[in-house]
């Protein structure tokens, strides 16, 4: 992700300068701003309008600090103190930290009495017209105004006048709601819209004591990245329609995840409570998505709680369906599959499988007959937007390709023809609906003697299936995927699977064992290890070594699935 | 398993309250007098570094030409300067001298600041308002007469404090205006 600004990451070759931060001398890249410099030595300068990825405008004044420079003697040489360090000449008035760029010999104080006094003043002004509707505000619990009030503000209000009234619950976009009374006019959202996603529709009207954040009349903030403004809005002025009033944020358990709605694989934080996923927010990863994600990806999780979710393993005998325990159904599936010769079996894999699942599918295929088992995956393409979204809508095309399950979709037609011709009589379909998504008609599926599906939702393919195996969604399982740029990243389990639905790797592993391929794998770590032993791209890796931010795979990724 | 979604009328969203009704945005459009666009282009050449700096001059020109700044004006000026309309709307709503609706044709400004106030400008302003039959003031403090002939505004110091009370009628300056002089002056403008 290319940000117009990266104030927190100056170019590596930036020269260092000597600076004093709260009395301690250290070296920092020249030109770094004081907020970032303080952060690097573990000090925090509170700020509202400053954001490392946005233009610096210095309008909130929360980051006021004291600055100084070396004291010079008559011959313009620095005056040194007893320890040989330059003495500081402090500037008598405060300066904003976000727009203070380090120069040689600069000194800053981040927490002096003057600085504390400044912060109290800024907080008092910000709160004058604030509606203080924290009890019903979605931001409560992760609101900078609340946090800084506690840390840097006053313990009481001196304000006896009338508060300024402004528009509330304003519908400014498809997925976003504005409460102008809560807005502290930091302009982060305006700068994000304009500079990061080039959709300059937000602005301040009526500037003065009635400053109002607004969309231009007749325009809307419908941008596919609009919900990032909800994240960067320091207060509850911008809220997500999807998440509004759904859950108090402090009840949310946070799990590190990745978005599986396209091949970019934006890093996320999954917010869940008990077995419900409530929201996804971007997690910083400069190698992938920086601090952003698209709205489609962010909201593209509700299907996992769809009423059509499959929660019970089911076997069908003619018109009858029988719910079965996993221990019963897996041997039955294996038994039926064994009745076919390799040339009679087909597998439809999916770019939604994790590497581990794809590896196990490849193992099953080997047991069933290897290359004689016609196999492909279902490609899925949209349009790259030049910001984050990839044209490849499968999260793990590289992974299924690496495991030898993909022929780029070219074999799907052969598969279908062979079924229609009665050559292929058994089909295993993983996380795909062949009707709506691959465009097959039901007649082809009717020709099959055996159809086994593993997936999440009931659909026309599962309606025809002889065995329905309910799997786990991206938020319910562990495993890894390779994004479009060849980065190996991890999924983590945020919530349990509903009902009897089970981790796909467990299902696949048991099926493989039942087919006669027992190999002493018991945990996902062991599956990864077995995979790493076979797949050179993963040589030397373990699931834990992937880490939270993923790692660049050295092996070159196949070209035909490149994302942009 | 499904995510419980609350529906409550108290959480119903409201339409954005705009500085002008959206329906007006493409209402009656003005046609440009000859030379208007050429004048705009000429003004833009005064700002070789950034066209954006021509925003205020163009707004002034628009208001002088058409009496007020309509949605059409905002959108046209934005397009002219390769800006977005919101960038222009921000300016129009910030500067009190820009008006978003028409006012009376003959504009009377009465000074209200100290010298003039001491010299009777409050009475003078009331007198004008009465004689012109202007209604209550708009958001900009300008009171226009219903037929659209007069607009009376009580303004801050117009820098002739020694000859108080002073007024301006359109672009003309008048000093030491008594009530009688006020009536004479009104007669001169039509
Ligand atoms: S809505 Fe939020 S981000 Fe935008 S200006 Fe207001 S406080 Fe800042
Ligand atoms: S760009 Fe792709 S990976 Fe990122 S949030 Fe959107 S859909 Fe998800
Ligand atoms: S963070 Fe520096 S002025 Fe707002
Ligand atoms: S006080 Fe009226 S002109 Fe200055």
């Amino acid at each position: 992700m290319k940000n117009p600004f990266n104030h927190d990451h100056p170019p590596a070759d930036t020269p260092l300068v000597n600076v004093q931060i709260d009395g301690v001398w250290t070296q920092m890249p020249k030109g770094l701003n004081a907020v970032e410099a303080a952060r690097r030595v573990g000090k925090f300068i509170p700020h509202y309008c400053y954001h490392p990825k946005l233009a610096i405008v210095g309008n909130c004044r929360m980051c006021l600090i004291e600055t100084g420079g070396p004291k010079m003697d008559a011959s313009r040489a620095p005056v040194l103190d007893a320890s040989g360090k330059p003495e500081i000449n402090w500037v008598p008035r405060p300066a904003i930290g976000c727009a203070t760029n380090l120069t040689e010999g600069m000194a800053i104080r981040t927490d002096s009495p003057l600085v504390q006094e400044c912060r109290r003043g800024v907080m008092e002004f910000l709160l004058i017209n604030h509606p203080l509707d924290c009890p019903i505000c979605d931001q409560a619990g992760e609101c900078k105004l609340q946090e800084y009030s506690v840390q840097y503000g006053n313990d009481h209000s001196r304000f006896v006048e009338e508060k300024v009234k402004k528009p509330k619950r304003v519908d400014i976009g498809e997925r976003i709601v504005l409460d102008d009374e809560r807005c502290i006019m930091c302009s982060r959202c305006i700068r994000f819209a304009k500079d990061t996603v080039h959709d300059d529709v937000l602005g301040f009207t009526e500037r003065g004591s009635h400053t109002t954040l607004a969309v231009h009349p007749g325009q809307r903030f419908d941008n596919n990245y609009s919900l990032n403004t909800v994240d960067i809005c320091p207060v509850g002025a911008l809220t997500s329609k999807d998440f509004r009033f759904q859950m108090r944020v402090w009840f949310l358990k946070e799990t590190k995840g990745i978005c599986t709605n396209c091949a970019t694989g934006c890093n996320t934080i999954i917010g869940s409570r008990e077995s419900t996923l409530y929201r996804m927010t971007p997690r910083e990863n400069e190698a992938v998505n920086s601090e952003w994600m698209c709205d489609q990806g962010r909201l593209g999780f509700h299907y996992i709680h769809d009423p059509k979710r499959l929660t019970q393993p089911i076997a069908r005998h003619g018109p009858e369906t029988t719910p079965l325990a996993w221990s019963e159904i897996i041997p039955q599936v294996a038994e039926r599959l064994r009745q076919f010769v390799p040339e009679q079996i087909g597998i439809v894999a999916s770019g939604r499988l994790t590497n581990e699942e794809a590896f196990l599918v490849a193992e099953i295929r080997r047991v069933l007959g290897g290359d004689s088992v016609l196999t492909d995956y279902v490609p899925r393409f949209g349009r790259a937007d030049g910001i984050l979204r990839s044209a490849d809508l499968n999260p793990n095309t590289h992974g299924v390709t690496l495991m030898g399950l993909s022929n780029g979709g070219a074999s799907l037609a052969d598969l279908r023809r062979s079924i229609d011709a009665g050559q292929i009589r058994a089909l295993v379909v993983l996380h795909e609906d062949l009707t709506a998504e691959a465009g097959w008609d039901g007649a082809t599926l009717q020709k099959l003697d055996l159809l086994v599906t593993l997936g999440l939702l009931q659909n026309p393919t599962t309606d025809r299936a002889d065995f329905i195996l309910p799997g786990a969604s991206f938020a319910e399982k562990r495993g890894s995927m390779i994004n479009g740029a060849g980065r190996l990243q991890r999924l983590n389990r945020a919530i349990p699977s509903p009902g009897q639905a089970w981790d796909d790797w467990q299902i696949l592993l048991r099926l493989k064992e039942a087919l006669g391929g027992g190999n002493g794998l018991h945990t996902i770590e062991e599956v990864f290890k077995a995979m790493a032993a076979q797949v050179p791209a993963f040589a030397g890796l373990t699931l834990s070594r992937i880490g939270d931010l993923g790692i660049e795979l050295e092996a070159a990724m196949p070209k035909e699935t490149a994302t942009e | 398993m499904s995510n419980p979604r609350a529906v409550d009328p108290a959480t119903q969203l409201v339409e954005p309250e705009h500085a002008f009704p959206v329906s007006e945005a493409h209402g009656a459009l003005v046609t440009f007098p000859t030379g208007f666009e050429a004048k705009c282009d000429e003004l833009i050449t005064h700002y070789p570094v950034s066209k954006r700096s021509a925003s205020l001059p163009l707004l002034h020109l628009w208001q002088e030409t058409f009496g007020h700044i309509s949605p059409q004006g905002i959108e046209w000026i934005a397009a002219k300067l390769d800006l977005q309309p919101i960038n222009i709307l921000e300016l129009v709503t910030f500067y009190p001298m820009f008006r978003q609706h028409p006012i009376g044709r003959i504009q009377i400004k009465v000074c209200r600041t100290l010298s003039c106030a001491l010299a009777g400008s409050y009475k003078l302003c009331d007198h004008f308002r009465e004689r012109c039959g202007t209604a209550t003031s708009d958001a900009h403090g300008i009171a226009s007469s219903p037929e659209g002939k007069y607009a009376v505004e009580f303004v801050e110091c117009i820098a002739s404090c020694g000859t108080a009370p002073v007024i301006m009628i359109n672009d003309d300056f008048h000093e030491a205006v008594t009530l009688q002089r006020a009536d004479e002056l009104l007669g001169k403008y039509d």
Side-chain angles (χ1 to χ4, degrees):
Chain A
M1 165 77 199
K2 241 178 112 139
N3 278 306
F5 305 96
N6 281 306
H7 306 297
D8 48 347
H9 298 298
D13 57 355
T14 312
L16 298 181
V17 289
N18 295 298
V19 292
Q20 192 205 65
I21 302 178
D22 291 341
V24 180
W25 284 93
T26 172
Q27 291 199 314
M28 291 275 171
K30 184 171 184 224
L32 192 69
N33 69 61
V35 174
E36 294 300 337
R39 205 185 327 246
R40 289 181 179 211
V41 294
K43 305 265 177 179
F44 182 69
I45 299 177
H47 53 274
Y48 290 110
C49 69
Y50 170 71
H51 187 286
K53 309 299 179 193
L54 302 177
I56 293 175
V57 290
N59 63 24
C60 76
R61 320 312 282 184
M62 189 61 191
C63 64
L64 285 166
I65 52 168
E66 281 192 83
T67 61
K71 199 178 268 176
M72 300 293 184
D73 64 15
S75 61
R76 309 264 331 131
V79 179
L80 301 184
D81 65 14
S83 62
K85 295 282 189 195
E87 270 188 36
I88 303 299
N89 221 354
W90 291 99
V91 179
R93 57 184 183 83
I96 49 172
C98 63
T100 296
N101 300 100
L102 301 184
T103 54
E104 178 59 37
M106 183 180 270
I108 62 173
R109 284 180 181 148
T110 69
D111 203 23
S112 62
L114 173 67
V115 170
Q116 290 171 3
E117 180 63 28
C118 290
R119 290 173 185 163
R120 272 196 298 277
V122 170
M123 284 307 302
E124 181 162 33
F125 274 115
L126 282 178
L127 288 171
I128 277 180
N129 285 310
H130 200 79
L132 298 179
D133 49 3
C134 310
I136 53 144
C137 178
D138 277 305
Q139 190 82 0
E142 52 184 13
C143 172
K144 292 287 173 249
L145 199 62
Q146 278 189 337
E147 287 167 21
Y148 297 169
S149 261
V150 173
Q151 262 181 294
Y152 312 107
N154 303 293
D155 55 6
H156 66 283
S157 167
R158 297 187 293 169
F159 188 70
V160 293
E161 293 82 359
E162 287 276 306
K163 290 193 186 237
V164 170
K165 299 301 286 174
K166 288 188 196 171
K168 293 184 87 74
R169 288 185 269 127
V170 191
D171 190 359
I172 60 165
E174 196 53 38
R175 293 169 289 280
I176 205 154
V177 186
L178 163 71
D179 183 320
D180 258 311
E181 291 188 344
R182 293 181 189 154
C183 172
I184 59 166
M185 289 132 337
C186 72
S187 82
R188 276 181 171 193
C189 53
I190 300 176
R191 285 173 280 149
F192 175 85
K194 173 167 182 276
D195 298 330
T196 311
V197 297
H198 316 295
D199 191 3
D200 196 6
V201 292
L202 300 177
F204 288 133
T205 59
E206 318 294 331
R207 275 194 293 167
S209 51
H210 284 75
T211 306
T212 307
L213 179 76
V215 271
H216 190 73
Q219 295 187 333
R220 305 261 295 163
F221 188 40
D222 287 345
N223 193 282
N224 191 25
Y225 292 85
S226 69
L227 289 173
N228 292 293
T229 60
V230 173
D231 302 331
I232 59 174
C233 177
V235 293
L238 295 173
T239 51
S240 153
K241 285 185 190 168
D242 188 66
F243 181 66
R244 245 161 91 81
F245 306 134
Q246 297 307 312
M247 185 49 63
R248 309 297 351 207
V249 297
W250 51 84
F251 289 130
L252 293 179
K253 182 181 83 173
E254 300 198 328
T255 308
K256 295 188 175 99
I258 54 173
C259 173
T260 54
N261 286 294
C262 87
T264 302
C266 292
N267 289 211
T268 61
I269 291 177
I270 299 173
S272 61
R273 186 180 185 194
E274 294 177 354
S275 50
T276 305
L277 201 170
Y278 285 95
R279 72 170 179 187
M280 291 206 292
T281 47
R283 175 166 58 91
E284 185 179 353
N285 187 340
E286 292 308 328
V288 183
N289 53 311
S290 188
E291 304 194 18
W292 324 116
M293 73 189 293
C294 79
D295 291 2
Q296 270 169 301
R298 182 190 300 249
L299 301 181
F301 69 84
H302 290 293
Y303 70 91
I304 72 172
H305 296 309
D306 194 284
K308 285 211 169 103
R309 184 73 194 266
L310 300 165
T311 59
Q312 172 68 51
I314 289 172
R316 192 190 316 269
H317 304 283
E320 300 289 312
T321 58
T322 324
L324 290 177
W326 284 108
S327 58
E328 295 168 313
I329 199 166
I330 285 177
Q332 289 190 17
V333 174
E335 178 57 34
R336 291 286 306 277
L337 277 172
R338 263 199 298 266
Q339 292 162 4
F340 298 91
V341 298
E343 289 72 18
Q344 291 176 321
I345 308 177
I347 298 177
V348 178
S350 170
R352 296 160 172 163
L353 297 176
T354 64
N355 296 325
E356 294 74 6
E357 291 155 12
F359 168 72
L360 290 167
V361 172
E363 292 279 284
I364 289 171
R365 179 173 181 239
R366 203 166 45 74
V367 178
L368 289 174
D371 286 347
S372 311
V373 177
L374 192 53
T375 304
D376 206 347
Y377 92 122
V378 181
R380 198 172 276 112
F381 287 101
R383 269 179 51 187
D385 65 2
I387 300 178
L388 280 173
R389 244 180 115 73
S390 163
D392 184 354
L393 300 185
N394 278 318
N396 196 23
T397 302
H398 282 327
V400 285
T401 308
L402 206 55
M403 301 305 152
L405 300 178
S406 150
N407 189 24
S411 299
L412 283 178
D414 294 345
L415 203 53
R416 186 174 170 186
R417 258 195 306 276
S418 305
I419 297 171
D420 285 335
Q423 285 151 5
I424 287 182
R425 290 168 46 210
L427 188 66
V428 180
V429 182
L430 303 145
H431 286 277
E432 293 293 352
D433 172 23
L434 292 177
T435 54
E437 292 190 295
W440 293 19
D441 64 33
T444 301
L445 297 179
Q446 291 304 337
K447 290 238 165 70
L448 290 163
D449 292 334
L450 173 64
L451 176 58
V452 181
T453 61
L454 168 58
L456 299 181
L457 301 180
Q458 184 230 326
N459 58 43
T461 307
T462 63
D463 286 345
R464 156 67 190 87
D466 300 289
F467 293 101
I468 301 171
L469 309 178
S473 76
F474 71 96
E476 297 155 16
K477 63 189 174 192
R478 299 177 59 209
S480 62
M481 291 189 174
I482 305 170
N483 82 354
R487 192 176 190 83
L488 181 63
Q489 309 197 99
R490 270 194 325 209
L491 297 176
N492 287 300
R493 186 171 206 236
I495 53 173
S497 295
Q500 300 298 309
W502 204 16
D503 270 8
D504 301 73
W505 70 269
Q506 295 267 24
I507 301 168
L508 294 165
L509 189 63
R510 302 290 170 253
L511 181 59
K512 174 174 175 269
E513 282 169 5
L515 282 166
N519 51 7
L521 303 179
H522 300 287
T523 64
I524 184 94
E525 281 81 6
E526 286 167 355
V527 175
F528 190 94
K529 229 163 129 192
M531 173 173 75
Q534 280 189 30
V535 181
F538 297 148
L541 290 175
T542 62
L543 199 51
S544 71
R545 217 168 283 165
I546 295 173
D548 290 336
L549 297 179
I551 43 178
E552 199 88 38
L553 285 184
E554 280 175 19
M557 286 298 136
K559 282 281 172 291
E560 76 268 23
T561 47
T563 55
E564 253 130 8
Chain B
M1 272 337 299
S2 65
N3 193 347
R5 305 258 117 182
V7 182
D8 177 347
T11 66
Q12 293 280 296
L13 305 183
V14 299
E15 281 296 305
E17 211 177 276
H18 288 309
F20 54 81
V22 177
S23 57
E24 216 177 77
H26 299 286
L29 301 184
V30 295
T31 44
F32 295 168
T34 23
F36 177 77
E37 187 152 7
K39 179 84 180 84
C40 291
D41 290 332
E42 196 277 325
L43 279 172
I44 294 170
T45 64
H46 297 200
Y47 305 93
V49 179
S50 159
K51 276 213 258 188
R52 185 169 193 158
S53 306
S55 304
L56 287 182
L58 290 197
L59 282 168
H60 281 297
L61 180 63
W62 187 284
Q63 181 159 294
E64 276 161 28
T65 312
F66 303 109
H68 73 286
I69 296 165
S70 62
Q72 179 195 4
I74 292 172
E75 277 160 30
W76 189 83
I77 292 171
K80 189 87 197 157
L81 302 177
D82 295 330
L83 296 172
Q84 291 301 316
I86 186 75
N87 308 137
I88 301 297
L89 183 67
E90 286 185 326
L91 297 174
V92 172
T93 58
F94 175 63
Y95 291 105
M97 71 255 190
F98 292 131
R99 299 182 297 266
Q100 289 185 262
H101 55 85
I103 61 165
R105 190 160 43 80
I106 300 166
Q107 295 168 27
I108 302 160
K109 297 190 176 88
V110 183
C111 173
R112 61 185 286 171
T113 311
L114 189 63
S115 300
C116 295
L118 290 173
S121 68
Y122 277 70
K123 218 180 211 165
L124 183 62
C125 189
D126 284 346
H127 183 72
F128 272 115
R129 285 188 173 146
E130 198 178 307
R131 291 300 305 273
C132 300
T134 58
T136 45
S137 309
D138 63 13
H140 292 261
I142 305 171
S144 297
S145 56
E147 83 291 4
K149 185 168 178 191
Y150 296 109
V152 180
E153 188 178 5
F154 210 24
V155 300
E156 298 302 337
C157 181
I158 39 185
S160 185
C161 320
T163 55
V166 297
I167 66 164
M168 283 183 78
I169 301 186
N170 293 340
D171 287 334
D172 310 330
F173 192 60
H174 304 280
E175 299 168 298
V177 182
T178 58
L179 298 187
Q180 189 196 342
R181 176 89 184 117
D183 292 343
E184 287 167 26
L185 284 171
L186 272 182
K188 289 195 182 156
Y189 291 85
D190 201 17

